[in-house]
Amino acid sequence: DAMVIQNPRYQVTQFGKPVTLSCSQTLNHNVMYWYQQKSSQAPKLLFHYYDKDFNNEADTPDNFQSRRPNTSFCFLDIRSPGLGDAAMYLCATSRGTSGGDEQYFGPGTRLTVT
Amino acid sequence: GQNIDQPTEMTATEGAIVQINCTYQTSGFNGLFWYQQHAGEAPTFLSYNVLDGLEEKGRFSSFLSRSKGYSYLLLKELQMKDSASYLCAVRGNNRLAFGKGNQVVVIP
């Protein structure tokens, strides 16, 4: 029944140690997004894929990368996590990027950096 | 760019009505969404407005005035489970930006 799945739900990594978060979807949506959300703040869009086209936000640090090997899966790679990267990472999908194309969110992965 | 402003927190009693406001500035407006987010969970879609006026969906209604850059979400017959953050998200030039959310605390 789950539509947008994120694994793991909780991830602990060490300062500077690369980490990968994963997202999969059963909705067959064209667009997949990665957001970073810190406590009491708005979700901040890092990047999105429209099919295979990658769209990076201008202020997303180079430390954050993404891969989408197929329609169903999308990964967020953090090359050298810093303490400031501790946050909830939300994956979302949508049919398109216009009008009423609502986004469906996964449950999120809470990242802790030690 | 886009700018979205929401009040941060409000408390209301079970059974009451609460109105959550959102003001925004954007170019190329093409829709406004409301999402509900419980603590530690993902946002879930509540409503979508693209034309001026009121959209009603059960206990939740959402209003939009494009000329004023203003929307509100109305929650009726409040229940304890409605305690959550309510996020306003505005699509402008096909880019969606979220507000920080308004934390609603429902008390018995």
Side-chain angles (χ1 to χ4, degrees), chain A residues 9 35 37 40-43 57 88 90 96-103 105-107 110, chain B residues 30-31 33 35 37 40-45 48 50 87 91 94-96 98-101:
Chain A
R9 294 291 308 276
Y35 288 88
Q37 187 178 27
S40 302
Q41 293 189 23
E57 292 299 301
M88 174 76 91
L90 296 166
T97 58
S98 60
D101 286 327
E102 71 193 74
Q103 295 186 13
F105 284 84
R110 183 163 294 284
Chain B
N30 56 357
F33 297 82
Y35 282 83
Q37 187 176 25
E41 297 182 15
T44 54
F45 169 78
Y48 170 70
V50 67
L87 302 166
R91 197 187 292 273
N94 289 336
R95 295 170 61 87
L96 189 68
F98 283 83
K100 288 186 181 180

Side-chain angles (χ1 to χ4, degrees), chain A residues 64-112:
Chain A
F64 292 87
Q65 305 282 318
S66 186
R67 297 170 281 137
R68 189 179 185 186
N70 53 51
T71 302
S72 301
F73 285 86
C74 196
F75 300 98
L76 170 62
D77 300 307
I78 309 177
R79 293 196 293 195
S80 181
L83 297 178
D85 296 328
M88 174 76 91
Y89 289 88
L90 296 166
C91 173
T93 73
S94 66
R95 233 184 316 259
T97 58
S98 60
D101 286 327
E102 71 193 74
Q103 295 186 13
Y104 293 78
F105 284 84
T109 295
R110 183 163 294 284
L111 179 69
T112 301

Side-chain angles (χ1 to χ4, degrees), chain A residues 1-51:
Chain A
D1 212 16
M3 296 185 291
V4 184
I5 303 154
Q6 290 188 245
N7 285 307
R9 294 291 308 276
Y10 300 90
Q11 175 76 57
V12 180
T13 191
Q14 291 176 333
F15 182 94
K17 186 174 179 183
V19 66
T20 295
L21 309 182
S22 75
C23 177
S24 63
Q25 54 136 338
T26 59
L27 296 162
N28 206 33
H29 279 171
N30 296 312
V31 193
M32 293 187 79
Y33 308 81
W34 279 104
Y35 288 88
Q36 179 194 66
Q37 187 178 27
K38 297 188 177 179
S39 183
S40 302
Q41 293 189 23
K44 178 181 179 303
L45 182 64
L46 297 173
F47 25 58
H48 75 276
Y49 274 95
Y50 198 128
D51 293 328

Side-chain angles (χ1 to χ4, degrees), chain B residues 28-61:
Chain B
F29 174 84
N30 56 357
L32 185 144
F33 297 82
W34 283 96
Y35 282 83
Q36 180 191 60
Q37 187 176 25
H38 286 102
E41 297 182 15
T44 54
F45 169 78
L46 289 178
S47 68
Y48 170 70
N49 294 69
V50 67
L51 299 176
D52 290 351
L54 189 69
E55 294 279 342
E56 297 192 72
K57 217 175 181 181
R59 292 190 301 115
F60 295 172
S61 305

